[in-house]
């Protein structure tokens, strides 16, 4: 990255667009295995059937992929019990989100979302020329949906509800989501970002797919990156009203979803039982880690994704540094907290050790 001025005219608003900060790769530390638990990735490698599908598809990379993503869309429609017309895919759900902003917002329109939440939101919104309206999370690091409803103006064109919320962890309840939707204008697009939905276990968690069938303004955003372990292939999708899905397909990068990604996703759906058993294992680890941290005295908010949140405030960066020295890459959000992905058992054990040591030496 360079701070040099560009030799050509670029949009003046670019200066205000934050850069996405990816999780750091594991830094080698002598004598220990390093682990990356900074990007909410799935620690399991792809299943052999998925690797096989990718290598079969690799034989044809001289050809463009199926732009209609037909076979995968059909498989998803069966799996989710929704008509194919209601599905739109994209190059990761972050790209589908950018498509949503593109179809909903004119310059200076407003996008309401909670903060702190997924760091791509302000970037995608700013790049489009729309404006972010960030509504603070409540004291339990949960969405304050009443305050979000109040933040809606006649310039609001999109609301994003992230559940479970990245990076803090809590999920919105069915009751909360329905009450919110009953309050907001029925022609306002509400995106429910469910990137981590497969990891939710609380009974009260909203069922946005069912809700989307009742509220035509609701779009459910999902991804193959987390529970299905295909982060590197970049594939996500939206379930939306058929007219919204059609608009989303128009806004997609042509041929953006590769053939490798399409076939890997189809193979993943076929092997879903195995993949969901892995998710269950990770959820078990999450419960173990969260219980261990709370026992140590940490105030960990409800964790419904594949990660947990340590509200360290100004100590976020020093904690991440201390973890890195022990071969553990976590994700600090300066002045706020640290997000730790649930990873391999040894990585989770290390996190518990690092957290205990932090309290012993700094607490
Ligand atoms: N939404 C949320 C809440 C996320 O945390 C992420 C990934 N970190 C995404 C969307 C994007 O996922 P992808 O683009 O890999 O599908």
């Amino acid at each position: 990255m360079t701070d040099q001025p560009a030799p050509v005219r670029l949009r003046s608003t670019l200066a205000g667009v934050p850069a996405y900060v990816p999780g750091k790769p594991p830094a080698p530390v002598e004598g220990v295995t390093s682990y990356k638990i900074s990007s909410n990735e799935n620690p399991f490698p792809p299943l052999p059937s998925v690797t096989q599908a990718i290598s079969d598809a690799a034989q044809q990379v001289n050809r463009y992929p199926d732009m209609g993503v037909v076979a995968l869309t059909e498989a998803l429609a069966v799996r989710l019990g929704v008509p194919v017309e209601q599905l739109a895919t994209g190059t990761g759900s972050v790209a589908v989100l950018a498509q949503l902003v593109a179809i909903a917002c004119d310059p200076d329109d407003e996008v309401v979302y909670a903060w702190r939440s997924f760091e791509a939101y302000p970037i995608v919104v700013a790049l489009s020329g729309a404006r972010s309206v960030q509504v603070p999370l409540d004291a339990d690091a949960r969405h304050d949906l009443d305050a979000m409803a109040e933040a809606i103006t006649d310039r609001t064109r999109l609301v994003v509800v992230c559940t479970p919320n990245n990076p803090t962890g809590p999920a919105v309840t069915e009751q909360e989501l329905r009450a919110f939707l009953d309050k907001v204008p029925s022609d306002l697009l509400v995106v429910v970002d469910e990137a981590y939905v497969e990891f939710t276990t609380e009974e009260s968690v909203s069922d946005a797919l069912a809700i989307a069938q009742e509220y035509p303004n609701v779009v459910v955003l999902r991804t193959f990156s987390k529970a299905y372990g295909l982060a590197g292939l970049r594939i996500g999708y939206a379930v939306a009203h058929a007219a919204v899905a059609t608009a989303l397909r128009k806004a997609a990068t042509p041929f953006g979803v590769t053939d490798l990604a399409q076939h890997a996703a189809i193979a993943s759906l076929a092997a879903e039982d195995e993949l969901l058993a892995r998710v269950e294992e990770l959820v078990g680890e999450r419960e173990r880690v969260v219980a261990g941290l709370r026992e140590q005295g940490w105030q960990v908010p409800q964790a419904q994704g594949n990660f947990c949140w340590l509200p360290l405030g100004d100590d976020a960066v020093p904690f991440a540094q201390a973890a890195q020295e022990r071969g553990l890459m976590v994700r600090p959000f300066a002045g706020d907290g640290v997000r730790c992905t649930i990873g391999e058992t040894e990585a989770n054990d290390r996190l518990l050790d690092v957290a205990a040591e932090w309290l012993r030496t700094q607490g």
Side-chain angles (χ1 to χ4, degrees):
M1 284 240 259
T2 175
D3 290 331
Q4 277 180 17
V8 289
R9 284 180 64 159
L10 301 177
R11 274 167 61 203
S12 54
T13 45
L14 268 184
V17 179
Y20 192 99
V21 184
K24 287 189 191 169
V29 174
E30 215 178 291
V32 294
T33 308
S34 293
Y35 293 100
K36 180 184 177 207
I37 55 166
S38 53
S39 296
N40 289 353
E41 293 155 335
N42 192 316
F44 290 100
L47 293 171
S49 62
V50 174
T51 314
Q52 186 62 50
I54 295 169
S55 89
D56 290 349
Q59 306 308 311
Q60 299 185 55
V61 290
N62 55 315
R63 304 286 178 191
Y64 286 107
D66 170 18
M67 195 168 131
V69 196
V70 172
L72 172 59
T73 306
E74 282 172 358
L76 267 176
V78 170
R79 163 67 184 82
L80 303 172
V82 299
V84 285
E85 294 74 24
Q86 291 195 10
L87 285 161
T89 51
T91 315
S93 58
V94 75
V96 184
L97 182 73
Q99 290 160 239
L100 281 159
V101 176
I103 65 168
C105 298
D106 284 313
D108 290 332
D109 280 343
E110 293 169 359
V111 180
V112 170
Y113 54 89
W115 200 251
R116 178 172 295 277
S117 192
F118 181 30
E119 65 180 310
Y121 298 159
I123 300 172
V124 165
V125 172
L127 275 175
S128 78
R131 281 192 288 132
S132 281
V133 176
Q134 301 182 333
V135 179
L137 297 170
D138 72 12
D140 297 321
R142 305 177 60 85
H143 276 53
D144 183 345
L145 287 171
D146 288 338
M148 287 175 71
E150 275 163 32
I152 292 166
T153 71
D154 56 5
R155 290 310 302 262
T156 310
R157 292 291 172 276
L158 195 70
V159 179
V160 186
V161 175
C162 184
T163 175
N165 187 51
N166 172 13
T168 60
V172 165
T173 69
E174 178 85 9
Q175 219 179 0
E176 286 169 333
L177 187 57
R178 283 181 181 276
F180 176 73
L181 291 169
D182 287 336
K183 249 188 267 180
V184 309
S186 61
D187 62 352
L188 172 62
L189 204 53
V190 177
V191 179
V192 184
D193 184 345
E194 290 196 329
Y196 303 95
V197 70
E198 295 87 355
F199 297 95
T200 61
T201 47
E202 292 282 336
E203 243 341 273
S204 58
V205 170
S206 56
D207 179 356
L209 262 193
I211 288 179
Q213 298 305 318
E214 287 173 50
Y215 294 81
N217 57 324
V218 170
V219 175
V220 183
L221 195 58
R222 293 209 176 159
T223 180
F224 281 94
S225 296
K226 310 294 179 182
Y228 295 87
L230 298 181
L233 283 175
R234 315 302 307 123
I235 180 156
Y237 61 93
V239 182
H241 183 278
V244 176
T246 301
L248 279 175
R249 284 190 287 272
K250 251 190 219 174
T253 301
F255 306 109
V257 181
T258 67
D259 215 30
L260 308 187
Q262 294 184 36
H263 283 91
I266 292 168
S268 298
L269 289 175
E272 197 170 42
D273 289 351
E274 253 173 295
L275 293 173
L276 293 183
R278 290 173 162 190
V279 166
E280 213 170 304
E281 209 176 310
L282 291 170
V283 166
E285 279 292 279
R286 177 189 74 201
E287 298 304 306
R288 178 175 78 86
V289 169
V290 170
L293 290 168
R294 286 182 180 152
E295 236 164 75
Q296 292 176 12
W298 292 89
Q299 302 282 321
V300 184
Q302 183 193 45
Q304 285 288 285
N306 64 340
F307 54 91
C308 62
W309 176 249
L310 299 177
L312 276 145
D314 288 339
D315 282 338
V317 172
F319 179 93
Q321 187 59 40
Q324 182 172 335
E325 282 160 17
R326 300 271 320 268
L328 201 58
M329 312 306 294
V330 295
R331 175 73 74 93
F333 294 87
D336 201 352
V338 170
R339 188 192 68 196
C340 307
T341 306
I342 303 302
E344 299 83 349
T345 307
E346 309 79 62
N348 304 331
D349 289 343
R350 182 97 46 93
L351 173 62
L352 287 168
D353 283 351
V354 168
E357 191 176 311
W358 178 269
L359 290 181
R360 254 197 322 274
T361 56
Q362 315 281 326

